[in-house]
Each structure stands twice: as structure tokens, then as C-alpha cells.
Amino acid sequence: MLLSSRRANAALVLLGVSTFSFVTIEVLPIGLLTVIAGDLDRSRSQVGLLVTGYAVVVVLASLPLARLTQRLPRRQVLGGTLGVLAVATGLSAAAPTYEVLFGGRLVIALSQALFWSIAPPIATSLFPPEQRGRVVARLAIGTALAPIIGIPLGTWLGEQAGWRAPFVLMAVLGAVACTGIVMLLPRTEVQDSPSRRGSTPDVRRYAVLLVAAAVGVTGFLTFNTYVTPFLLDITGFRSGALGPMLLASGVGGFVGTLLAGRVLDRHPWAAVFVPLALITVALLGLYGLGQLKVATVALIAVLGMAFSALAVAVQSRTLQVAPGSTDIASAGISSAFNVGIAAGAFVGGALIDHTSVRIVALVGGLLTFVAAAVMLSEPLLTRRRAVVAVRCRENY
């Protein structure tokens, strides 16, 4: 599936635009939480369910859709996925009620469920195998730019022109990405491409990665789904400052993506563990220092940096340790991430309905601490497995 260098790079850019679109659309209700709640006459926790329901669909649909489309041409599958994204986002923008908006987002979630299963293997298949880590990092730039450009711009635009305007903009961007991908990807799919298999398959490492990702994302989203009310109610920022605050998180995320790209191939385990540790420190710091504006800005930036680095590292690690098809392994990781997104939004919503919104930072930090501890166990499990294998050979 190797293309000319220029065409491969152009396709990778459009795949990056696609990741930018999906990430922006998925989390856009977080920045527009109060705006959507006021317009559709719903509570903050109900608007938070727009994120939870979205994530649940991704969890349930990722593996079935990956298996169903595994042998279909990648160009048609990816093009169709992005086409659904564009149409469903446009319909969401026109939704007259909360229920219609909720339904439109569930359709978008179906397209995302398949997208995250196939996009990383497709991206790496466009380049030589030795460039796999760098390609994953370049693909993730779109993900990192979403908090810098997509979410702050969407938040600002939603506050100025209504929450529907940013949805219209993202529908147009999705249509552009769909058209470009269909034009650039080759018609022929190589079924036994090295990109379709893990480079160092290991079922135990993959299982640890799944658990650490699910728990870590739960912790992060327990706080981040409700970052807007935290900044308004605890830190004391005005609504006009929300865009710049989310921008601080986004800039940190972009830096985290670039830093992760430098170490993915050399230190794949540490590239996952260190961001989990940083997220824990940042969330516990926000719980203790969330009333101080300067400290909050710094910690929000660290949080964005660490989570973006984590997302890149987990995806790269998946393509290394995938015990079978990388499509199926990527679908599993996508499900794990969205289990975390759904669980985090649910836990955070329950907390703010019954306690102060400040508590979401504490609970989130405790959960990411558990995730870091799970990841810390991976070398021990691997070493134990190696010792058992040696003893079995000696006894034999």
C-alpha cells in the first residue's frame, strides 16, 4: 500500500485533519456545556451525557465494526466513515431538541468507532515499517491540535454565535477530509501488510495496556468532562476566560505529542507510564490548589500535555504489542479509551450532582494513580513470564 512520498504525506495530513475533527466533535460539548444546557433547557449533567452516550456507542461498536469491515478496501471504508461523520454532524447542528442532538451524536460515534480502529494501521501502511512510531506521532498532531484550535475556537464561536455554529464548521471540515481521502488512498489493499500485525506481539502486555488505558482515561475524564464548571465555580474564572484556559491545555497537549514522538520507539513502556504519573500529580494539584488562578493555569497545561502524550504512546504501544490484527487491537484500545470517557463522564456527573465540583479532581487523581500502578506491573509480569519459560526449558 506504499504510495509516492508526496501522496503518502498528503494522505497523512488528511488523516490528521480527520483525527482533529473527531476529537473536536467528541469533546465539543465540554467547552459548550453551559451554552447547550441553557439553550436546550437541560442540566449540566444531562449535557455531560452527550459525551457519555457517545463513548458507550464507541465501546460497543468498535470491535464488531472492525471485524465486519476487516477485509473490505480501506479507501471505501475510511471514505464512508468520514462521509457519515460529515452528514451526522450537520444533522446535529440542526437538531431542534436535546433528543435529536443526542441521536445525531450517537451516529457520529458509530463512525468514530470504526475510524479509530482503522486509521492508525492505514497511516502506518503508507510508509516503511521502520517509520511506524514517527507516523503515529505525526498522525496524533491532529489530535493534539484539537484542544489548541478546535475546542477553543468552537467554545468561542459557540459563545458568540450559538452552539450550532461550530458543529456546522466541523461538518464542512469532515466533508473536505472525506473527499481528499477518497482521492488519495489507493484502490488496492495489501491484506498481509506488516502494518496489519504487531511488531512484537504480546498478549499480556496488551492486556495491561487495555486496563491502564481504561482506568487512566476514566480518571482524566472524571475531571475534564466538568472542567468548565470547575474553572467557573472553584477557580473563579469568568466565562470569557474559558477559551484561553482550554487553549493552555491544548498548547500543553501539542507539546506533549511532540515530546512523545521523540521517545516512542526508544522507550515505549516509559512513554505510557510517565504521562499517567504526570496526570495524577496534576489532578491532585488541582484539588489542592484549584482556587489559585496561576497554579490552575499551569496545572491545566501539564494535564493537557500529559494526556496527549499518553494517547500517542498508547496507540504506538498497541501497534507494537498487538497479539493479532492491529485493526482489532486498535479497536480494543479505542473501546478502552471510550470506556474511560463514558465512566469518567458518569462518575464526574454523579459527583457534581451530590458534592462540590472540586471533588472531581481528587477522584480523578486517585483513579489515574491506580492506572499508573497497573502499568508499573507490566515489567514484573513480563519478567515472571520469562522466568517461568526458562524453568520450563530447564526441566524439559
Side-chain angles (χ1 to χ4, degrees), residues 270-293:
V272 178
F273 173 76
V274 172
L276 284 171
L278 284 175
I279 293 171
T280 300
V281 171
L283 287 175
L284 295 179
L286 283 165
Y287 173 72
L289 304 173
Q291 292 176 316
L292 304 177
K293 292 184 178 180

Side-chain angles (χ1 to χ4, degrees), residues 65-256:
L65 288 177
R67 291 186 180 279
L68 184 65
T69 62
Q70 193 172 9
R71 297 189 177 278
L72 298 178
R74 301 293 88 179
R75 188 180 71 146
Q76 284 88 330
V77 173
L78 186 57
T81 298
L82 294 174
V84 171
L85 164 70
V87 173
T89 304
L91 292 175
S92 297
T97 65
Y98 172 84
E99 289 76 16
V100 175
L101 174 61
F102 194 92
R105 283 184 58 81
L106 295 188
V107 176
I108 301 171
L110 285 173
S111 66
Q112 178 166 319
L114 183 55
F115 175 82
W116 286 114
S117 303
I118 63 176
I122 287 176
T124 55
S125 72
L126 301 174
F127 298 86
E130 61 271 17
Q131 298 182 25
R132 178 176 286 186
R134 281 176 288 172
V135 171
V136 171
R138 290 173 61 190
L139 176 66
I141 289 176
T143 304
L145 287 176
I148 298 176
I149 300 174
I151 298 170
L153 177 61
T155 300
W156 176 84
L157 185 59
E159 291 176 347
Q160 302 301 315
W163 64 266
R164 300 176 192 276
F167 278 83
V168 172
L169 182 61
M170 297 313 302
V172 173
L173 192 60
V176 171
C178 174
T179 303
I181 286 295
V182 170
M183 293 175 62
L184 288 171
L185 287 187
R187 296 176 181 272
T188 304
E189 167 72 7
V190 180
Q191 293 294 334
D192 60 350
S193 167
S195 68
R196 305 295 293 273
R197 303 182 300 276
S199 55
T200 55
D202 190 310
V203 67
R204 288 193 179 190
R205 288 177 174 171
Y206 178 68
V208 168
L209 188 65
L210 279 173
V211 174
V215 177
V217 174
T218 298
F220 175 77
L221 265 296
T222 294
F223 170 81
N224 208 55
T225 304
Y226 301 96
V227 63
T228 297
F230 183 94
L231 295 174
L232 293 174
D233 301 345
I234 304 301
T235 312
F237 284 109
R238 295 183 178 180
S239 60
L242 294 179
M245 283 298 302
L246 293 175
L247 179 61
S249 175
V251 170
F254 184 71
V255 172

